[in-house]
Amino acid sequence: REERKMFMPRQIIVAENSGFCFGVKRAVDITVNYNSNKGSKTYTLGPLIHNENVVRRLKEQGIQEIERKDIGKLDTRDALVIRSHGIAPDVIDQIGKSGVTMIDATCPYVSSIQKKAKKYHERGYQIVIVGDRNHPEVIGINGWCGNTALVTRDGSELKDLPDKVCVLSQTTEMQSNFDKTVKAVSKQSKDMLAFNTICNATRERQDSADKISRLVDRMVVIGGRHSSNTKKLFEICSANCKDTVLIENSAELPEWPIPGKKPEKIGITAGASTPDWVIHAVIEKLKRNTR
């Protein structure tokens, strides 16, 4: 008892903007609600969101994920959910020909980018997308301009651009990368259009994570390892706080020593695909470790 009095409790600071974003919550709600109709089987094209904890729960409800190559194997009574990342027009055509019911859970912000890519490609602009070329959102957007987009991380490798260029961004990209790309394109192209399509939820999360990670001794980033926005949060926090960890759930939380005489501040943020119940479990485990 006397020994416990020597230890100071941890101060746990949770980022104001963390956890499910609008688009992810909408996709999960649409999928779960549709699945309650037991007249058909519900599938998702790829994992609905980049979070294994959520995908596992969906599977427990009978919602399975499939790959594009397996679309033709589905029964016409089945339903196929398009995740928030969206898909290219040729995939939409393939689903239509298969006869299955398509449930479109594409995030409205992503749909807006797809429309811009199509519109300005048809007007003769070279589309440049700031983001990860292997991310499903970027792959989908590129499909709306005939897969002719130049995909870049920060514009540093862009050379010999045409006069007409339209710059778009993956919704979860970092503002600094978008700004660098716009600067690089503006030096080469006379007619440049730049649409900052990083969604507000991403900006708010990154800003909150940046502020908190500057104030704490340790930082916890919660989210899927395949989640683009979670990886960006980890990158931001790591730059400010050396003791930053990326975990998917409370089971992966490091066994940090109980705080000594000096109070310890621990910051928490979470990616847009991380549900509240996962965040709460991490907080509760940290609280238990202070006793």
Side-chain angles (χ1 to χ4, degrees):
R1 225 174 185 181
E2 291 301 317
E3 287 182 353
R4 288 185 183 179
K5 290 181 180 179
M6 294 172 61
F7 296 117
M8 296 293 289
R10 285 177 171 139
Q11 181 182 355
I12 300 170
I13 307 171
V14 182
E16 183 179 353
N17 300 293
S18 58
F20 270 3
C21 68
F22 160 75
V24 168
K25 184 179 185 303
R26 175 177 174 272
V28 173
D29 288 345
I30 287 173
T31 305
V32 171
N33 290 339
Y34 190 87
N35 189 55
S36 62
N37 173 13
K38 296 300 180 181
S40 63
K41 291 182 180 179
T42 305
Y43 296 87
T44 65
L45 188 56
L48 184 66
I49 62 175
H50 286 150
N51 187 287
E52 288 297 324
N53 299 281
V54 175
V55 171
R56 201 175 300 119
R57 284 202 171 187
L58 292 174
K59 286 181 179 178
E60 290 170 359
Q61 298 175 50
I63 302 168
Q64 301 290 328
E65 64 180 84
I66 66 162
E67 298 302 321
R68 179 179 178 179
K69 61 183 176 61
D70 297 318
I71 291 175
K73 299 176 184 178
L74 298 181
D75 191 286
T76 54
R77 292 170 295 181
D78 295 333
L80 184 60
V81 180
I82 305 308
R83 54 191 176 178
S84 59
H85 302 123
I87 55 176
D90 63 318
V91 185
I92 294 175
D93 291 341
Q94 183 181 351
I95 295 170
K97 292 174 182 177
S98 73
V100 303
T101 300
M102 187 180 82
I103 310 299
D104 192 359
T106 304
C107 174
Y109 296 118
V110 175
S111 296
S112 176
I113 303 172
Q114 292 173 343
K115 291 174 183 175
K116 284 182 172 64
K118 182 176 186 294
K119 176 181 178 180
Y120 290 101
H121 170 65
E122 290 176 347
R123 293 186 178 184
Y125 285 82
Q126 169 63 60
I127 305 298
V128 170
I129 305 172
V130 186
D132 177 359
R133 69 178 64 255
N134 298 315
H135 193 279
E137 179 187 319
V138 173
I139 292 171
I141 294 168
N142 196 4
W144 288 86
C145 58
N147 296 311
T148 62
L150 298 176
V151 183
T152 181
R153 176 58 70 194
D154 58 11
S156 58
E157 80 285 15
L158 296 177
K159 295 178 181 178
D160 302 320
L161 293 174
D163 284 341
K164 297 176 67 173
V165 174
C166 174
V167 183
L168 303 171
S169 176
Q170 185 176 340
T171 55
T172 54
E173 190 49 76
M174 291 174 64
Q175 182 65 46
S176 58
N177 288 338
F178 180 79
D179 293 340
K180 289 175 185 175
T181 302
V182 170
K183 185 176 180 180
V185 174
S186 65
K187 292 177 179 178
Q188 302 181 55
S189 304
K190 297 178 181 178
D191 183 358
M192 181 193 73
L193 297 174
F195 296 96
N196 187 345
T197 49
I198 301 171
C199 76
N200 289 333
T202 295
R203 290 194 197 94
E204 291 168 354
R205 262 174 197 74
Q206 292 179 356
D207 288 345
S208 293
D210 182 51
K211 290 174 184 175
I212 288 178
S213 59
R214 293 175 186 273
L215 305 173
V216 298
D217 302 299
R218 304 178 194 273
M219 191 74 195
V220 180
V221 181
I222 313 168
R225 287 187 172 79
H226 299 296
S227 164
S228 174
N229 73 89
T230 299
K231 286 189 282 188
K232 298 293 193 312
L233 291 175
F234 179 72
E235 187 179 331
I236 290 168
C237 294
S238 297
N240 299 329
C241 178
K242 291 182 180 179
D243 202 349
T244 297
V245 296
L246 170 59
I247 63 174
E248 292 199 348
N249 50 52
S250 60
E252 297 181 1
L253 194 65
E255 289 295 328
W256 283 324
I258 295 174
K261 294 181 179 180
K262 181 185 175 183
E264 181 180 57
K265 291 182 180 179
I266 295 183
I268 294 178
T269 188
S273 300
T274 308
D276 288 344
W277 53 271
V278 171
I279 300 171
H280 292 155
V282 172
I283 294 171
E284 289 306 311
K285 187 169 182 179
L286 283 171
K287 287 180 178 178
R288 288 197 301 272
N289 286 349
T290 63
R291 299 188 181 97

